[in-house]
Amino acid sequence: MSCQQHSLKTWNTFSLDACANKISVAESAEALCQFWQQSTNQNEPVLLLGEGSNVLFLDDFSGQVIINRIKGIRVSETADAWSLHVGAGENWHQLVETSLEQGLSGLENLALIPGCAGSAPIQNIGAYGVELDRVCEYVDIVSLADGVQQRLTAAECQFGYRDSIFKHQYRDGYAIIAVGLRLAKIWQPVLSYGDLRNLDTLTVTPREVFNAVCQMRRSKLPDPKVTGNAGSFFKNPLVSAEVAAKLQAEYPHIPHYPQVSGDVKLAAGWLIDQCDLKGFHMGGAAVHAQQALVLINANEATGQDIVNLARTVRQRVAEKFNVWLEPEVRFIAAQGETDAVEVIA
Ligand code: NAP
């Protein structure tokens, strides 16, 4: 089968021109299981995708890619909250907009994050001070080998910084089929980040927060429909308080955010920017000129171009700050997901 027939270009937001042996779209849990079992029975690799907004294809994929398109949103209410049961294949940003239009608030800080609702729990998406775990009540999954469905409470999802049980125990052989969200009827705005701090805490509305978040994102982040990218390429590094103090002594303006754990979060984008890498090109890949944390497909990049650039960025940051960045994006090799740190080490 030729790459033209099964191109993954429109199925990954990096717009990399990789291909797969087969691409199947599943609209139900049963279809997900059926497609998955076809592949495993034939001993071929299989990969589940939502909108491909956090993956980097290193090669052509030697198997079947299954696109999760389970749709449907059900809303119910209790005295103090709205409950949303959301099909995994619903688009995340549309969900944020629709809920806001219906007067349900709580998702506005998470506007314009690319991807599907069902992908959101995997890396516990977060932006502007809100992470999914703040609103997530449960996640429904299916065991692909036998079709058994199971509901995990938010606590069972083991959410962490860009992390959850879906990157570990439930990474292989399971699919997320729905997400349950709980939005409190008494709205508590989160205004601690960026331009949100300029909003009036007494009069602010969810719509104003939504608009401000959209404006900030649009001004800094490339639209994947125009320029291929997968959002933040690296995680913000966590360092010990001692390391942070040493860095602060040398770089007094270094952004640093102490965590409850005692560690200190650094801003990966700032570290990269200090290495003068904004706009830096390698092959068809580049560091985004407005936001150094985003690597872009500037000109028909291959997965290898992005890898080479990521390796260079990581080395330059380590040479200057002795801090090693780790990718947030998941690396997909021909046979399946592979260790991203090892690839760029
Ligand atoms: P920014 O405002 O330039 O800030 C740089 C980093 O500093 C952010 O990553 C953020 O960490 C941290 N930060 C800023 N203000 C903070 C505060 N008041 N308290 C604690 N930490 C703070 O960031 P940006 O690149 O424009 O992104 C804005 C938000 O959107 C961030 O929350 C970012 O995570 C999110 N975002 C995520 C992606 C993705 O692909 N995952 C892509 C774009 C933006 P945190 O990242 O921990 O919030």
Side-chain angles (χ1 to χ4, degrees), residues 123-292:
Q123 67 154 342
N124 187 22
I125 59 166
Y128 303 101
V130 174
E131 289 187 330
L132 182 84
D133 59 3
R134 183 183 166 97
V135 289
C136 181
E137 198 169 22
Y138 61 81
V139 175
D140 288 346
I141 58 173
V142 63
S143 161
L144 294 160
D146 55 19
V148 174
Q149 298 187 12
Q150 173 183 357
R151 174 161 294 180
L152 302 182
T153 63
E156 287 169 334
C157 293
Q158 296 176 16
F159 289 120
Y161 168 60
R162 304 289 178 264
D163 197 29
S164 73
I165 199 162
F166 308 108
K167 284 190 173 183
H168 305 282
Q169 188 182 331
Y170 291 115
R171 194 186 86 163
D172 297 316
Y174 297 87
I176 292 175
I177 52 176
V179 177
L181 304 176
R182 182 184 181 280
L183 303 179
K185 286 186 178 173
I186 297 178
W187 182 53
Q188 289 191 314
V190 178
L191 305 174
S192 53
Y193 270 52
D195 292 353
L196 300 182
R197 291 203 207 94
N198 303 333
L199 296 171
D200 183 339
T201 48
L202 295 177
T203 59
V204 68
T205 63
R207 173 62 64 177
E208 280 172 346
V209 176
F210 173 86
N211 288 342
V213 167
C214 290
Q215 201 173 1
M216 281 189 283
R217 290 190 73 106
R218 287 195 174 111
S219 68
K220 272 206 215 173
L221 297 165
D223 178 352
K225 290 195 187 94
V226 180
T227 306
N229 76 90
S232 302
F233 193 88
F234 296 100
K235 294 182 195 173
N236 286 325
L238 279 180
V239 299
S240 68
E242 289 129 272
V243 169
K246 275 190 201 146
L247 285 168
Q248 244 181 295
E250 206 174 339
Y251 305 97
H253 299 298
I254 190 170
H256 58 285
Y257 303 96
Q259 307 293 292
V260 271
S261 62
D263 288 336
V264 177
K265 179 180 73 178
L266 305 176
W270 186 88
L271 301 175
I272 299 168
D273 193 8
Q274 293 303 301
C275 300
D276 288 328
L277 286 167
K278 262 188 186 163
F280 179 73
H281 278 247
M282 266 185 105
V287 177
H288 186 53
Q290 271 77 47
Q291 166 52 287

Side-chain angles (χ1 to χ4, degrees), residues 1 20-26 30-49 61-67 144-145 173 334-336:
M1 286 173 209
N21 292 354
K22 188 176 177 193
I23 299 172
S24 308
V25 178
E30 293 70 28
L32 281 175
C33 296
Q34 205 189 337
F35 291 136
W36 189 86
Q37 288 164 17
Q38 271 169 12
S39 285
T40 49
N41 289 343
Q42 290 167 20
N43 260 331
E44 71 167 358
V46 59
L47 173 73
L48 262 62
L49 282 188
F61 187 69
S62 310
Q64 179 177 208
V65 171
I66 306 174
I67 310 291
L144 294 160
Q335 301 292 316

Side-chain angles (χ1 to χ4, degrees), residues 107-126:
L107 300 180
E108 52 287 333
N109 294 52
L110 303 175
L112 278 185
I113 297 183
C116 287
S119 317
I122 302 174
Q123 67 154 342
N124 187 22
I125 59 166

